[in-house]
Amino acid sequence: MNCKLKKRLKQLRLENKYSQQQIADKLNITRQAVSKWENGKSIPDIENLKLLCEIYNVSLDNILENSVLTEEKISVRKNSVRSEMRHCALVLNIVASYFLAPFGFITLAAVLFFMKRTDEHRLLLTFLSLMALIKNIHSTYYI
């Protein structure tokens, strides 16, 4: 059984403040059957799913698909936010390294270490950190 379906069934029951016994009574089944659905040991048949939709006042799509899509969207969004935060931190580090000589060496290492090969801004950030490093080397030895 889909792990997300069992979580969604339990979530809907708790959101609507029903006990397993109350749901079982409304569906004319045993409490153990509801427990098995929520533990992933079995799945409700289509008739019971329709009745659950009426009880919880949600669509069948909401029970079956949206729970899966919502968790996937949340996971993707978290990864996206982390990636954007990492990019911002590296850009600020590059700007600082442009003006402060010791940061130039550290920044290039940080960009190469923290950027993944799949990051879309990897080449740009590497180029900018190299330019900051070259400027730092030039200004250090020019004096």
Side-chain angles (χ1 to χ4, degrees):
M1 177 179 178
N2 187 344
C3 180
K4 294 170 182 139
L5 176 60
K6 69 180 184 180
K7 288 179 184 177
R8 183 68 177 141
L9 290 173
K10 185 172 184 176
Q11 176 190 15
L12 285 169
R13 180 178 58 80
L14 294 175
E15 283 176 2
N16 289 282
K17 299 178 182 173
Y18 286 119
S19 68
Q20 288 181 344
Q21 186 62 52
Q22 289 171 318
I23 295 297
D25 291 342
K26 288 180 181 286
L27 299 175
N28 294 322
I29 58 173
T30 64
R31 184 201 56 80
Q32 289 81 3
V34 176
S35 177
K36 285 181 182 181
W37 298 343
E38 292 180 2
N39 289 324
K41 294 179 180 174
S42 68
I43 58 172
D45 63 12
I46 192 67
E47 292 303 317
N48 284 328
L49 280 173
K50 287 180 185 178
L51 292 171
L52 286 170
C53 291
E54 291 175 14
I55 293 169
Y56 298 139
N57 197 26
V58 295
S59 67
L60 186 59
D61 181 55
N62 185 291
I63 291 178
L64 295 178
E65 291 186 25
N66 284 351
S67 60
V68 175
L69 295 176
T70 303
E71 288 183 19
E72 289 174 359
K73 286 179 184 177
I74 289 171
S75 175
V76 168
R77 178 127 173 97
K78 283 181 183 178
N79 290 338
S80 174
V81 169
R82 285 184 191 136
S83 178
E84 290 299 320
M85 287 176 58
R86 183 174 52 239
H87 289 170
C88 289
L90 289 173
V91 168
L92 289 174
N93 200 354
I94 290 169
V95 170
S97 71
Y98 186 79
F99 295 107
L100 302 170
F103 282 110
F105 300 103
I106 297 168
T107 302
L108 182 59
V111 167
L112 294 174
F113 181 76
F114 287 111
M115 296 297 288
K116 298 176 182 172
R117 289 180 184 242
T118 57
D119 284 341
E120 60 189 62
H121 302 296
R122 182 174 190 252
L123 289 175
L124 176 64
L125 291 175
T126 304
F127 175 75
L128 290 175
S129 62
L130 278 172
M131 296 309 296
L133 178 64
I134 291 169
K135 187 257 181 202
N136 287 333
I137 292 172
H138 176 67
S139 64
T140 303
Y141 289 111
Y142 184 71
I143 297 175

